Amino acid sequence: LIVLYDASLVREYLWPILKTLLSDSVSIVREDAGWSIPVILRKYAKATRETDANVFIKEVIEWLKETHLDDVDDNPLVRKSTRHRKKQMVASEGAFSKRQGYCRILAAVALVMRMDENNSNNAGFPNESRKKEAPYPPIDPFGPLSPSERDRFRSIVVDDLLPPALEMTVDCVA
């Protein structure tokens, strides 16, 4: 559904549904919903106005961080040692599950870039002639990225999503 509507409609109607699915108590629902994050980010990147695109993308990234990472930072049971960073302990399996979900979403966003790399290196698709004959424009949320989309995704991964994930490498689950 995300690819069928304008970015502002996606933000107003589909983003709240996706947030609910990403917060569901059933893990498989959360995992499947996580694959929609790169699609929604791509839709937001194509927003009519650049300022809207920036606001919409920032909203998604901040929500992901608040929902998946803040429990770890605010948890008084988390012991942080500057001497032995590997000795950090997290008292909640729920926090681990949320961090794991965050990393899956990061992987999905990065995978879009890798899939684009693979497509741009190939001469074409085996059924490319059949695709050209289609009477409607193809809707492929994981298709080739434009140069501006590629730069936007690289910025999202490197500047926004990856740093918190790298900080998790020193977390141990009790």
Side-chain angles (χ1 to χ4, degrees):
L1 287 175
I2 294 169
V3 296
L4 298 176
Y5 297 101
D6 183 60
S8 60
L9 292 174
V10 169
R11 182 179 183 224
E12 186 175 349
Y13 297 107
L14 298 178
W15 173 234
I17 294 169
L18 184 56
K19 288 193 293 188
T20 302
L21 294 173
L22 288 166
S23 303
D24 197 88
S25 61
V26 179
S27 65
I28 194 71
V29 172
R30 292 189 309 267
E31 290 174 20
D32 287 348
W35 287 101
S36 297
I37 293 295
V39 179
I40 207 166
L41 289 174
R42 190 167 186 188
K43 175 55 85 172
Y44 287 172
K46 292 179 179 180
T48 310
R49 295 185 353 217
E50 184 67 22
T51 55
D52 287 346
N54 292 336
V55 168
F56 295 173
I57 290 170
K58 184 178 178 183
E59 179 183 351
V60 172
I61 292 168
E62 286 178 358
W63 185 86
L64 288 172
K65 288 179 179 179
E66 288 171 7
T67 306
H68 290 83
L69 303 177
D70 275 355
D71 286 351
V72 176
D73 295 335
D74 297 336
N75 189 341
L77 298 174
V78 175
R79 286 185 281 162
K80 296 188 177 181
S81 168
T82 56
R83 187 171 171 216
H84 298 288
R85 292 192 70 180
K86 288 189 176 184
K87 295 288 181 183
Q88 292 179 357
M89 303 294 276
V90 177
S92 168
E93 271 188 41
F96 172 76
S97 179
K98 287 180 179 183
R99 291 187 317 233
Q100 189 177 36
Y102 180 86
C103 290
R104 280 193 182 116
I105 290 169
L106 168 61
V109 173
L111 184 63
V112 170
M113 291 177 60
R114 288 296 295 201
M115 290 174 69
D116 179 58
E117 249 178 41
N118 194 21
N119 287 339
S120 62
N121 291 337
N122 291 338
F125 295 104
N127 298 326
E128 193 164 340
S129 62
R130 193 179 83 202
K131 286 187 177 190
K132 288 180 182 176
E133 296 169 6
Y136 51 88
I139 299 174
D140 183 6
F142 293 99
L145 301 171
S146 70
S148 63
E149 287 177 316
R150 188 170 229 344
D151 291 342
R152 174 81 63 146
F153 267 73
R154 181 177 292 115
S155 172
I156 290 169
V157 170
V158 173
D159 299 333
D160 299 320
L161 297 177
L162 192 57
L166 292 174
E167 289 175 14
M168 287 185 240
T169 59
V170 295
D171 287 342
C172 296
V173 177

